[in-house]
Amino acid sequence: MGSKGHYRYHWQSHNVKQSGVDDMVLLTKITEDGIVDNLKKRYMDDYIFTYIGPVLISVNPFKQMPYFGEKEIEMYQGAAPYENPPHIYALADNMYRNMIIDGENQCVIISGESGAGKTVAAKYIMSYVSRVSGGGPKVQHIKDIILQSNPLLEAFGNAKTVRNNNSSRFGKYFEIQFSPGGEPDGGKISNFLLEKSRVVTRNPGERSFHIFYQLIEGASADQKSNLGITSLDYYFYLNQSGSYKVDDINDRKDFQETLHAMNVIGIFADEQAMVLQIVAGVLHMGNLSFKEVGNYAAVESEEFLAFPAFLLGIDQERLKEKLTSRKMDSKWGGRSESINVTLNVEQACYTRDALSKALHARIFDYLVDSINKAMEKDHEEYNIGVLDIYGFEIFQKNGFEQFCINFVNEKLQQIFIELTLKAEQEEYVQEGIKWTAIDYFNNKVVCDLIENKVNPPGILSILDDVCATMHATGEGADQTLLQKLQMQIGTHEHFNSWNQGFIIHHYAGKVSYNVEGFCERNRDVLFTDLIELMQSSEHPFIRALFPESLQAEKKGRPTTAGSKIKKQANDLVGTLMKCTPHYIRCIKPNETKKPRDWEESRVKHQVEYLGLKENIRVRRAGYAYRRVFKKFLQRYAILTKETWPSWRGDLKQGVVHLLRSVNMDPDQHQLGKTKIFIKAPESLFLLEEMRERKYDAYARAIQKAWRRYAARKKYVKMREEASDLLLNKKERRRNSINRNFVGDYIGMEDLPELRQFIGKREKVEFADTVTKYDRRFKSVKRDLVLTPKFVYLIGREKIKDGPMKGQVKEVLKRKIELERILTVSLSTLQDDFFILHEQEYDSLLESVFKTEFISLLSKRYEERMQRKLPLRFSNTLEMKVRKDNWGPWSAGNSRQVQFVQGNGHVAVLKPSSKTLQVSIGPGLPKNSRPTRRDLTQGRQQTTRPQVTSVPTRAAPPPPGPHQNGVVKGFHNTSQWPPLNSQPSQRIPYQGTKSDRPSLPRQGTNFTEQHARIQHNLDFLKVPEQGAAGKRTGMTRPNGGKAHRQMTNRPPPAGGRPKPQPKPKPQVPQCKALYAYDAQDTDELSFNAEDVIEIVREDPSGWWIGRLRGKQGLFPNNYVAKI
């Protein structure tokens, strides 16, 4: 969204405000300043994502952005690259589609310094993949676990640092495993180097892990009582740094999310209680302090021992003993014996902290293991890996943890260089592509400085050697380490030393490390006394956290933290190298953690060390897209007939053929030995667009055929349902039985004067102009409208006074709730009359579309009332009328309508005081049903220009005034009949030219009809001469009428005769006597007086003709031959 109101960013690729360039490959000047300026423009307009080719740059906005909803998920799902603005969803969709299409594992490497937004980016990727992938209940359960693992691991592994309020203090590689159909059906988390020292100490202004604060803020009264929970500042482990609250974190709410996550993952209630019990036990352990008694440590206040001993299920005295003394094995000659060594205060504090750190670390490992077991899959197929690892860190005081974190980031930078810069250039050489090499900094030299084994040994190897020879405590070991580093690698170009530590020139800048505590933290030994103590717990859960076998003979060096992280980092690199990588480079715009705050120098520093300039240069000089020939042909095979469905021949020749067919400029691509390289993204977009058009055309053809089939099926079903209501109960009109249903015959959408009476959200199911008969059987026109809730009858009245006097306005005459309708009565003959019986009084109506109306009314009535609409059929119908208090009709409130057999298709009405007699000829038999046509006809039969077959249905007879099937046009309110028309008059509706065509009366022969339409043509004669045309003395031989003199006019074209026009081929023609509206797709519609070319005559009564370029069937009794 834009920064100004009229620049709202709505995430569509057209009509949006332009801020810089979406893809920095398109920058005019490739400099660090140009890159920073482009990122700043976009950031200030809330565009946080930018591309460098396939690499996504994400700038932390430090606020919730509006474009991560369902709408954006739909927009990016299946969209072509660059079709929409840059977004993390585009990268996630590209990963997911590539995995399915290419059958290759994918991974995304999210890198950047602490606070740049890596964890949030990982969450968005996992939520997107979870949202767009399908699956049933089991798959949904896996998705829930994937999403809920985030808040759980963040609670136990994230903390507030001076750089980031929700900093990941561990690294994780989350593999989402998929079935071949693209459904997530498993997963696995690998975690790296939890910063467990944060449990016991941290820098000023920082917090420990979130879970401690969540428990204190969110625990229930019972939990607080059972776990001894008090205030935050009571606990020594929490009050050292003086930071308790974080502005944008709600610990109470987050605690409930943590508990919910444990439920989803499948951790039972008693296990959850034990986890929280250990968390509380760690807090209480920190409140144990020691005093010096005769050079040895003693617990200062023994009452503080009770709660941690109770929570951990261990003996209080034993806990005191193990914290103040240590059992050591001593070997003398061939014998070994154990002796207890009493500890001093510093050693006792170290032991206490070691136990606290071990408890938290093992709980964290237990949670990771629980998540993995819940998602376990017996065999791997495809997977997408998301690497969310601690960012590069530079603090005031940098210790062993920062050294390990920055080493892992150095390894990730090496992968990025290997795969995006080095590997790309090497690939061009291998494939024989013309190429100019680009220089870049390869940080392998820094990685070797840290992890080399020998010649020269790396920092980790030297550290392990020092730890192997150090005594029980680390006194003096750190200084020994510093001396050895200066001796062995002091001359390295990326290494310097100072009196308290050393400096490494990392890819992200120089970092000064303090060696204090390096050896102790690297050794990471949990003394056997503490393991024995925990194995003596009365809680099986705690015993299971310490499964070590203490009797086993120890051989070789113990594993150190440094060697462990080195192995994990190299294993991770190996895993990532087996996948198709994608990159997100996160940038932190400021240190204030505030939105719209931009620190130029900080961003420029990150742009430099992330190597964005070199990345852009390689992308611009190189080729944006490369694919092996086989996969390229598979993807774009649809573009030509020769390559579809598969190319038979040499793969390279197939690629050449394809490129020629799309006219791709030779400068835009090169063919290597096994791959095609396409230079500009625009050329790739051209291929993608052509491919989409092909698929779109085929999809449209399939959709069109299906929609045609579905529509015809629907109309057949509607006709049959309507017909079933009258089956064996009422005779049918010939033109009614096979008619398609239209619904709105008066165009309600274009008539606001009628829509005003209908509810805003009410759907018009049916609308028609009908004839209504009142208590005196006087006819009047009404608009009949059916909605899902009401039946409306709308009429017209003259305004009697005021400025609008004499004008006609629309008036709502009746509004009947469907629930108030009692029944509907009809005769058994073919007439169009029906009576709506309502609780107050009834309405006698006549409509040519009665079957459609009653069918729709029945459906809506059944939906609302849960019972069928009662229909009554009789030739003597009773109707209840509204009482009047004057006139000869005031007595009695019922009328009768009698139906008798007569002649013809037009109803003859004979009204009397209380009875209306309707006489009409016989119609189709009562058991008549619509003609079922074959819905599975081929396309050719409906679209073939030459019609060769005629329908089996009978051709319709010439229409009468009440023809069923006449289509009405625009509704004109000024053409209504007089309001005082007599009952015996049958005045047809007179509309404008675009209204329903007027129909000839029954029995009118063609000659009379023809004579009636011969209008006076005198208006075509030349008018009398005006004043300007009078001439003095001019004689008028034609009796005073002025005509132009033709005799003196020179012949045109020098007297040459006008060439005769080419004779038109003689085609038999006929003129339409009446208007006809097509009742099916293979018929012609025409108006009276239209001239139709006759293609073929048929004895069935259906002729084939051509009108206005369309060929189709029409009934021969509607026309006369010319």
Side-chain angles (χ1 to χ4, degrees):
M1 121 181 154
S3 55
K4 298 179 183 176
H6 60 286
Y7 283 131
R8 304 290 287 185
Y9 189 39
H10 52 78
W11 286 90
Q12 291 175 359
S13 54
H14 52 84
N15 300 330
V16 295
K17 183 185 175 187
Q18 286 298 312
S19 291
V21 295
D22 284 355
D23 191 335
M24 290 196 286
V25 171
L26 305 176
L27 281 174
T28 50
K29 290 183 179 178
I30 309 173
T31 63
E32 268 93 3
D33 290 334
I35 294 168
V36 172
D37 185 56
N38 187 68
L39 291 173
K40 181 179 179 180
K41 282 180 187 173
R42 295 177 65 73
Y43 176 76
M44 289 303 180
D45 283 323
D46 287 345
Y47 294 52
I48 65 170
F49 297 118
T50 311
Y51 290 135
I52 298 178
V55 177
L56 181 70
I57 312 299
S58 172
V59 184
N60 191 344
F62 291 108
K63 63 178 179 180
Q64 183 59 48
M65 304 305 285
Y67 36 74
F68 292 98
E70 290 293 318
K71 177 185 158 195
E72 284 73 35
I73 288 175
E74 288 179 17
M75 187 183 297
Y76 284 91
Q77 187 175 354
Y82 298 92
E83 183 180 324
N84 295 308
H87 200 290
I88 197 166
Y89 287 168
L91 180 137
D93 192 76
N94 188 31
M95 267 202 307
Y96 180 66
R97 303 292 157 201
N98 286 354
M99 179 194 71
I100 294 172
I101 294 168
D102 299 334
E104 294 175 355
N105 293 340
Q106 311 285 310
C107 70
V108 58
I109 301 171
I110 309 171
S111 56
E113 66 181 52
S114 181
K118 300 182 298 300
T119 299
V120 175
K123 284 186 201 171
Y124 280 129
I125 288 173
M126 287 193 279
S127 65
Y128 179 86
V129 171
S130 174
R131 177 69 180 79
V132 300
S133 51
K138 183 175 181 290
V139 169
Q140 187 57 48
H141 179 59
I142 295 293
K143 290 182 182 181
D144 292 340
I145 294 170
I146 291 168
L147 298 179
Q148 290 302 319
S149 66
N150 283 318
L152 181 58
L153 294 183
E154 281 183 19
F156 286 83
N158 284 29
K160 180 208 173 199
T161 67
V162 292
R163 289 180 171 270
N164 183 0
N165 287 347
N166 186 34
S167 177
S168 297
R169 308 315 300 163
F170 71 103
K172 77 168 183 277
Y173 183 63
F174 200 134
E175 288 180 76
I176 308 172
Q177 297 168 346
F178 293 85
S179 68
E183 298 168 345
D185 57 358
K188 186 173 76 174
I189 295 176
S190 305
N191 64 303
F192 313 99
L193 192 68
L194 176 71
E195 188 193 24
K196 55 190 176 185
S197 61
R198 183 164 290 272
V199 173
V200 299
T201 184
R202 68 209 65 89
N203 292 326
E206 297 188 347
R207 294 205 317 176
S208 186
F209 295 108
H210 295 322
I211 186 61
F212 297 113
Y213 307 87
Q214 290 179 10
L215 178 63
I216 294 169
E217 292 287 332
S220 65
D222 284 347
Q223 284 174 322
K224 286 184 177 180
S225 173
N226 294 335
L227 302 177
I229 300 298
T230 59
S231 61
L232 287 163
D233 56 2
Y234 170 76
Y235 300 100
F236 173 72
Y237 279 164
L238 303 184
N239 63 25
Q240 297 174 66
S241 54
S243 178
Y244 303 110
K245 304 279 186 182
V246 183
D247 291 340
D248 55 352
I249 291 179
N250 183 337
D251 290 313
R252 185 186 300 273
K253 178 170 164 286
D254 289 350
F255 182 62
Q256 297 305 318
E257 286 188 18
T258 302
L259 295 179
H260 173 67
M262 285 201 260
N263 285 327
V264 170
I265 286 156
I267 299 174
F268 298 117
D270 55 344
E271 293 172 332
Q272 292 182 32
M274 283 307 306
V275 168
L276 299 179
Q277 199 166 311
I278 293 170
V279 171
V282 168
L283 288 176
H284 286 288
M285 186 84 69
N287 283 0
L288 291 172
S289 57
F290 304 93
K291 62 185 178 181
E292 193 170 318
V293 178
N295 293 331
Y296 297 117
V299 175
E300 194 165 12
S301 301
E302 295 206 4
E303 64 266 22
F304 284 111
L305 280 166
F307 235 103
F310 162 71
L311 293 173
L312 298 175
I314 53 181
D315 180 70
Q316 183 174 328
E317 284 300 316
R318 198 156 182 222
L319 174 61
K320 182 176 77 169
E321 177 196 337
K322 294 300 181 184
L323 291 178
T324 55
S325 66
R326 182 180 307 160
K327 185 171 68 174
M328 296 188 70
D329 293 331
S330 173
K331 286 190 178 180
W332 189 260
R335 295 182 304 165
S336 65
E337 58 179 319
S338 296
I339 56 172
N340 279 327
V341 178
T342 311
L343 306 178
N344 61 28
V345 171
E346 183 187 348
Q347 291 169 331
C349 288
Y350 176 85
T351 305
R352 175 201 65 194
D353 292 346
L355 179 57
S356 298
K357 290 189 291 184
L359 282 166
H360 187 81
R362 297 199 181 205
I363 280 294
F364 189 81
D365 289 340
Y366 161 77
L367 293 173
V368 171
D369 192 46
S370 297
I371 294 168
N372 285 338
K373 284 179 179 173
M375 298 188 296
E376 197 169 18
K377 185 177 171 184
D378 54 4
H379 63 288
E380 287 191 22
E381 287 162 312
Y382 303 130
N383 66 67
I384 289 178
V386 181
L387 180 63
D388 172 22
I389 205 156
Y390 18 58
F392 192 89
E393 291 186 343
I394 307 175
F395 291 127
Q396 194 72 34
K397 181 181 178 182
N398 301 292
F400 179 72
E401 284 79 8
Q402 281 66 48
F403 174 73
C404 292
I405 287 169
N406 293 343
F407 164 62
V408 174
N409 277 272
E410 200 76 54
K411 291 292 286 184
L412 293 179
Q413 177 69 4
Q414 189 185 2
I415 292 179
F416 184 76
I417 289 169
E418 285 282 338
L419 296 180
T420 60
L421 303 176
K422 183 169 180 280
E424 183 157 345
Q425 299 197 64
E426 286 176 355
E427 185 178 35
Y428 296 145
V429 174
Q430 289 168 5
E431 289 284 330
I433 302 296
K434 294 174 186 175
W435 175 255
T436 304
I438 289 170
D439 292 331
Y440 58 90
F441 169 65
N442 190 339
N443 73 329
K444 186 175 186 300
V445 62
V446 182
C447 294
D448 290 344
L449 168 67
I450 297 171
E451 66 175 343
N452 246 17
K453 287 184 177 180
V454 288
N455 296 330
I459 294 172
L460 287 174
S461 294
I462 297 169
L463 178 59
D464 283 352
D465 285 343
V466 173
C467 290
T469 57
M470 68 186 279
H471 298 290
T473 62
E475 296 168 4
D478 295 330
Q479 284 304 313
T480 304
L481 168 67
L482 192 55
Q483 291 168 9
K484 285 201 170 190
L485 289 173
Q486 288 171 344
M487 284 172 55
Q488 299 195 35
I489 56 173
T491 57
H492 197 286
E493 60 178 327
H494 291 274
F495 178 88
N496 296 108
S497 62
W498 55 294
N499 59 350
Q500 291 183 327
F502 58 91
I503 297 168
I504 295 180
H505 297 230
H506 287 286
Y507 77 97
K510 293 180 182 179
V511 181
S512 173
Y513 298 102
N514 191 315
V515 293
E516 184 187 346
F518 250 65
C519 293
E520 271 304 345
R521 289 174 180 173
N522 181 55
R523 197 167 59 158
D524 194 31
V525 175
L526 187 62
F527 300 118
T528 55
D529 302 59
L530 299 179
I531 296 173
E532 284 179 354
L533 179 66
M534 290 296 102
Q535 289 180 346
S536 70
S537 171
E538 63 185 37
H539 301 303
F541 182 86
I542 293 177
R543 295 200 299 270
L545 295 178
F546 295 85
E548 288 92 338
S549 173
L550 299 178
Q551 275 68 43
E553 187 79 22
K554 293 180 183 174
K555 293 181 181 178
R557 285 185 183 181
T559 306
T560 61
S563 58
K564 192 186 296 181
I565 194 67
K566 179 173 147 185
K567 182 181 184 302
Q568 286 179 329
N570 286 309
D571 288 347
L572 175 64
V573 169
T575 303
L576 296 175
M577 287 293 203
K578 293 174 187 172
C579 303
T580 302
H582 304 261
Y583 304 95
I584 301 176
R585 312 291 264 169
C586 296
I587 289 177
K588 187 178 182 182
N590 60 62
E591 277 298 333
T592 61
K593 306 175 197 167
K594 291 179 181 176
R596 306 183 65 74
D597 185 11
W598 186 266
E599 294 178 21
E600 195 92 7
S601 59
R602 170 164 293 282
V603 176
K604 187 174 181 181
H605 174 65
Q606 293 172 77
V607 166
E608 286 172 354
Y609 77 66
L610 288 172
L612 300 189
K613 184 176 78 170
E614 290 77 11
N615 197 356
I616 294 171
R617 288 176 63 203
V618 170
R619 292 302 304 180
R620 280 183 69 154
Y623 293 83
Y625 174 89
R626 74 283 319 271
R627 252 310 185 260
V628 295
F629 295 145
K630 184 178 180 182
K631 287 189 176 179
F632 181 82
L633 280 170
Q634 284 174 350
R635 182 154 185 83
Y636 300 108
I638 198 170
L639 297 182
T640 70
K641 289 180 180 178
E642 292 78 10
T643 54
W644 180 260
S646 61
W647 171 260
R648 300 177 185 279
D650 180 62
L651 293 176
K652 192 169 186 176
Q653 290 305 313
V655 172
V656 170
H657 171 79
L658 231 165
L659 294 173
R660 282 178 184 160
S661 70
V662 298
N663 298 319
M664 185 177 285
D665 193 331
D667 294 341
Q668 287 299 311
H669 68 270
Q670 279 198 57
L671 296 180
K673 297 172 183 175
T674 62
K675 293 181 181 179
I676 174 172
F677 293 79
I678 295 176
K679 194 172 188 67
E682 291 76 15
S683 302
L684 182 63
F685 304 156
L686 171 70
L687 285 170
E688 286 292 326
E689 187 178 346
M690 294 175 74
R691 180 177 178 270
E692 287 297 320
R693 283 183 182 174
K694 284 281 187 182
Y695 276 112
D696 186 59
Y698 292 141
R700 285 175 185 273
I702 294 167
Q703 288 173 349
K704 185 178 177 183
W706 169 252
R707 284 179 184 142
R708 184 192 300 118
Y709 171 78
R712 292 177 69 182
K713 190 174 180 181
K714 175 187 168 188
Y715 283 123
V716 166
K717 186 180 178 185
M718 286 174 67
R719 282 204 303 264
E720 288 180 348
E721 286 175 351
S723 179
D724 288 345
L725 291 173
L726 311 181
L727 187 64
N728 296 323
K729 296 171 184 174
K730 185 173 176 67
E731 294 177 1
R732 302 298 305 278
R733 284 190 176 277
R734 188 176 300 277
N735 291 345
S736 165
I737 198 161
N738 284 312
R739 185 181 62 79
N740 285 337
F741 291 172
V742 176
D744 182 2
Y745 292 90
I746 58 180
M748 289 289 289
E749 287 296 322
D750 301 318
L751 298 172
E753 62 271 23
L754 298 184
R755 286 284 327 180
Q756 65 177 321
F757 303 112
I758 315 284
K760 279 187 179 179
R761 297 182 182 276
E762 278 193 89
K763 179 187 174 185
V764 174
E765 303 272 357
F766 178 87
D768 181 32
T769 301
V770 302
T771 305
K772 179 188 176 297
Y773 294 89
D774 63 11
R775 59 187 297 118
R776 295 180 286 277
F777 304 115
K778 175 182 172 182
S779 67
V780 64
K781 291 292 179 184
R782 292 280 184 266
D783 287 325
L784 174 67
V785 180
L786 171 67
T787 70
K789 294 182 180 178
F790 300 100
V791 174
Y792 298 87
L793 283 167
I794 303 168
R796 273 74 179 163
E797 286 182 356
K798 281 186 179 178
I799 301 173
K800 295 181 179 177
D801 48 22
M804 309 289 286
K805 184 178 179 181
Q807 293 189 20
V808 176
K809 71 169 184 177
E810 289 72 18
V811 179
L812 181 62
K813 292 295 187 180
R814 289 201 80 177
K815 181 179 178 181
I816 307 171
E817 293 180 15
L818 296 192
E819 292 88 338
R820 294 178 63 85
I821 295 175
L822 302 175
T823 185
V824 177
S825 296
L826 303 97
S827 77
T828 63
L829 305 181
Q830 66 157 330
D831 59 276
D832 293 322
F833 287 85
F834 61 95
I835 300 174
L836 281 179
H837 296 278
E838 195 245 358
Q839 295 172 7
E840 192 178 350
Y841 63 95
D842 304 334
S843 296
L844 174 60
L845 304 171
E846 183 183 18
S847 170
V848 292
F849 304 121
K850 65 182 182 309
T851 308
E852 182 176 353
F853 171 75
I854 291 169
S855 169
L856 290 168
L857 177 65
S858 296
K859 283 183 185 175
R860 299 296 161 253
Y861 183 89
E862 189 171 351
E863 284 172 6
R864 293 190 70 78
M865 303 297 289
Q866 302 302 310
R867 66 173 188 268
K868 292 190 179 297
L869 174 69
L871 298 178
R872 191 170 65 210
F873 297 88
S874 172
N875 285 342
T876 302
L877 304 179
E878 296 285 337
M879 62 177 284
K880 182 170 58 176
V881 298
R882 189 163 47 180
K883 286 187 178 180
D884 283 342
N885 295 324
W886 59 275
W889 295 276
S890 58
N893 65 344
S894 68
R895 297 289 181 269
Q896 196 177 76
V897 184
Q898 295 178 346
F899 297 86
V900 295
Q901 194 85 50
N903 295 312
H905 300 289
V906 182
V908 179
L909 311 185
K910 293 181 181 177
S912 62
S913 61
K914 289 190 177 183
T915 305
L916 173 66
Q917 187 185 77
V918 180
S919 173
I920 193 165
L924 294 176
K926 293 179 183 179
N927 61 357
S928 299
R929 296 203 55 153
T931 307
R932 264 209 101 139
R933 305 183 67 196
D934 184 11
L935 296 178
T936 58
Q937 290 174 331
R939 282 177 58 209
Q940 293 80 1
Q941 289 184 320
T942 55
T943 58
R944 189 182 298 160
Q946 184 68 30
V947 180
T948 57
S949 61
V950 293
T952 55
R953 59 185 183 276
H962 296 277
Q963 176 197 352
N964 198 359
V966 178
V967 175
K968 301 182 180 181
F970 180 76
H971 196 81
N972 191 320
T973 57
S974 63
Q975 300 294 329
W976 283 76
L979 294 170
N980 58 352
S981 59
Q982 295 302 313
S984 59
Q985 291 179 312
R986 304 294 311 282
I987 302 174
Y989 174 61
Q990 301 293 324
T992 61
K993 188 174 180 180
S994 61
D995 282 318
R996 187 201 313 192
S998 58
L999 303 175
R1001 295 183 187 280
Q1002 183 73 15
T1004 306
N1005 61 36
F1006 171 67
T1007 311
E1008 292 170 342
Q1009 174 73 10
H1010 188 70
R1012 189 171 61 79
I1013 63 171
Q1014 294 298 321
H1015 303 293
N1016 187 346
L1017 301 181
D1018 287 347
F1019 69 90
L1020 294 175
K1021 295 178 181 177
V1022 179
E1024 290 188 12
Q1025 190 176 28
K1030 292 181 180 177
R1031 295 283 185 274
T1032 309
M1034 185 183 289
T1035 59
R1036 295 179 182 172
N1038 57 352
K1041 292 189 179 179
H1043 286 273
R1044 182 180 294 174
Q1045 296 293 328
M1046 302 299 292
T1047 54
N1048 298 330
R1049 196 169 148 198
R1056 287 197 300 270
K1058 185 177 179 180
Q1060 293 294 322
K1062 291 182 180 179
K1064 292 184 179 179
Q1066 293 296 318
V1067 178
Q1069 296 178 323
C1070 59
K1071 182 180 283 187
L1073 306 181
Y1074 321 113
Y1076 179 73
D1077 183 56
Q1079 303 299 304
D1080 217 325
T1081 54
D1082 55 358
E1083 296 179 15
L1084 289 177
S1085 294
F1086 49 81
N1087 297 316
E1089 302 297 310
D1090 279 351
V1091 175
I1092 304 168
E1093 293 181 3
I1094 301 171
V1095 175
R1096 198 177 91 197
E1097 299 177 23
D1098 193 274
S1100 68
W1102 289 101
W1103 289 2
I1104 299 167
R1106 188 181 294 108
L1107 176 64
R1108 291 184 280 273
K1110 183 183 176 184
Q1111 187 167 304
L1113 299 161
F1114 65 94
N1116 68 349
N1117 48 10
Y1118 275 61
V1119 300
K1121 273 193 174 182
I1122 299 174

